[in-house]
């Protein structure tokens, strides 16, 4: 793509609201895809919508990324029909614990001149914290001592999906012309 073509692209670089709207729509899309995939264990999600959360760290301020996490919880529970059920507690606990951990790791160890962690590590930590929060909620609300039976499976799956999502996020961030244009336009302001 030459410079003339890249200047004609219509991307949401002019306002935070457009970026937030776009990333929320991306969460909605990924949540819809994820909803169609059978779950091997209760409350397990692949975490596809976390890709939009990771992108928000590059495109939004930290408080706006936290707002996106709240919108993600709302959208996911709206799609799955669990907005007014006890299962929203799993979504809130998992999404906020993983999102806040990923945001903290990103700001402390990635968003610096010489990153000390990769997006793979950030996604892995987010995935594991999501599962740990959900296991804690399931212990107190549902399964008590029996939580130990689903914990190894849930944590194992979280490890795998966290690494896979991290690999994809790392590849996308390194190779996306679109994201580079957005971050470059933000840096020039």
């Amino acid at each position: 793509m030459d410079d003339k073509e890249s200047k004609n692209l219509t991307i949401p670089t002019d306002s935070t609201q457009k970026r937030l709207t776009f990333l929320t729509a991306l969460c909605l899309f990924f949540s819809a895809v994820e909803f169609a995939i059978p779950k091997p264990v209760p409350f397990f999600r692949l975490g596809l919508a976390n890709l939009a959360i990771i992108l928000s760290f590059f495109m939004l301020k930290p408080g706006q990324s936290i707002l996106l996490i709240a919108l993600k919880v709302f959208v996911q529970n709206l799609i799955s029909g669990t907005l007014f059920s006890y299962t929203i507690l799993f979504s809130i606990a998992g999404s906020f614990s993983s999102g806040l951990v990923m945001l903290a790791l990103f700001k402390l160890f990635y968003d610096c001149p010489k990153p000390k962690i990769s997006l793979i590590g950030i996604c892995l930590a987010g995935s594991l914290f999501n599962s740990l929060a959900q296991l804690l909620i399931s212990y107190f609300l549902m399964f008590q001592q029996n939580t130990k039976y689903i914990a190894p499976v849930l944590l194992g799956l979280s490890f795998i999906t966290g690494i896979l999502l991290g690999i994809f996020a790392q590849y996308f961030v390194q190779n996306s012309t679109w994201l580079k244009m957005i971050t470059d336009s933000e840096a020039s302001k």
Side-chain angles (χ1 to χ4, degrees), residues 49-113:
N50 281 339
L51 293 171
I53 302 299
I54 292 289
L55 291 178
S56 80
F57 301 158
F58 292 93
M59 299 167 60
L60 302 172
K61 294 176 181 171
Q64 296 160 342
S65 291
I66 293 169
L67 174 60
L68 180 64
I69 294 166
L71 291 169
K72 175 186 147 229
V73 169
F74 176 76
V75 165
Q76 284 180 330
N77 285 281
L78 185 65
I79 288 174
S80 65
T82 57
L83 191 59
F84 299 108
S85 73
Y86 72 94
T87 58
I88 195 170
L89 297 175
F90 290 91
S91 184
I92 291 169
S95 293
F96 277 98
S97 65
S98 71
L100 293 174
V101 163
M102 289 191 306
L103 180 59
L105 290 173
F106 181 85
K107 286 297 179 189
L108 292 172
F109 302 112
Y110 187 87
D111 193 21
C112 54

Side-chain angles (χ1 to χ4, degrees), residues 128-145:
L128 292 174
F129 269 82
N130 181 310
S131 292
L132 289 171
Q134 290 185 345
L135 286 169
L136 189 63
I137 295 291
S138 75
Y139 178 83
F140 287 111
L141 287 185
M142 300 176 73
F143 302 122
Q144 287 81 36
Q145 297 297 325

Side-chain angles (χ1 to χ4, degrees), residues 1 7 52 56 65 98 123 157:
M1 180 182 304
K7 288 179 183 174
S56 80
S65 291
S98 71
C123 286
L157 288 170

Side-chain angles (χ1 to χ4, degrees), residues 1-184:
M1 180 182 304
D2 62 32
D3 287 342
K4 186 177 181 181
E5 287 177 330
S6 67
K7 288 179 183 174
N8 291 329
L9 287 176
T10 311
I11 55 174
T13 59
D14 60 341
S15 79
T16 300
Q17 183 177 1
K18 286 183 181 180
R19 291 178 189 177
L20 189 58
T21 302
F22 170 75
L23 292 169
T24 304
L26 195 57
C27 284
L28 174 66
F29 171 74
F30 285 138
S31 294
V33 168
E34 199 169 303
F35 184 66
I37 299 170
K39 295 177 177 86
V41 293
F43 317 113
F44 178 74
R45 290 186 166 276
L46 294 173
L48 297 177
N50 281 339
L51 293 171
I53 302 299
I54 292 289
L55 291 178
S56 80
F57 301 158
F58 292 93
M59 299 167 60
L60 302 172
K61 294 176 181 171
Q64 296 160 342
S65 291
I66 293 169
L67 174 60
L68 180 64
I69 294 166
L71 291 169
K72 175 186 147 229
V73 169
F74 176 76
V75 165
Q76 284 180 330
N77 285 281
L78 185 65
I79 288 174
S80 65
T82 57
L83 191 59
F84 299 108
S85 73
Y86 72 94
T87 58
I88 195 170
L89 297 175
F90 290 91
S91 184
I92 291 169
S95 293
F96 277 98
S97 65
S98 71
L100 293 174
V101 163
M102 289 191 306
L103 180 59
L105 290 173
F106 181 85
K107 286 297 179 189
L108 292 172
F109 302 112
Y110 187 87
D111 193 21
C112 54
K114 191 170 182 178
K116 296 169 184 63
I117 191 170
S118 70
L119 291 178
I120 298 168
I122 291 171
C123 286
L124 178 59
S127 182
L128 292 174
F129 269 82
N130 181 310
S131 292
L132 289 171
Q134 290 185 345
L135 286 169
L136 189 63
I137 295 291
S138 75
Y139 178 83
F140 287 111
L141 287 185
M142 300 176 73
F143 302 122
Q144 287 81 36
Q145 297 297 325
N146 293 326
T147 303
K148 66 184 172 194
Y149 297 115
I150 68 164
V153 175
L154 189 61
L155 292 171
L157 288 170
S158 294
F159 184 81
I160 293 166
T161 59
I163 288 176
L164 292 175
L165 286 170
I167 290 170
F168 180 80
Q170 189 77 40
Y171 178 82
F172 182 82
V173 166
Q174 289 174 344
N175 296 293
S176 173
T177 306
W178 170 79
L179 185 61
K180 183 171 176 18
M181 287 172 30
I182 290 174
T183 55
D184 286 351

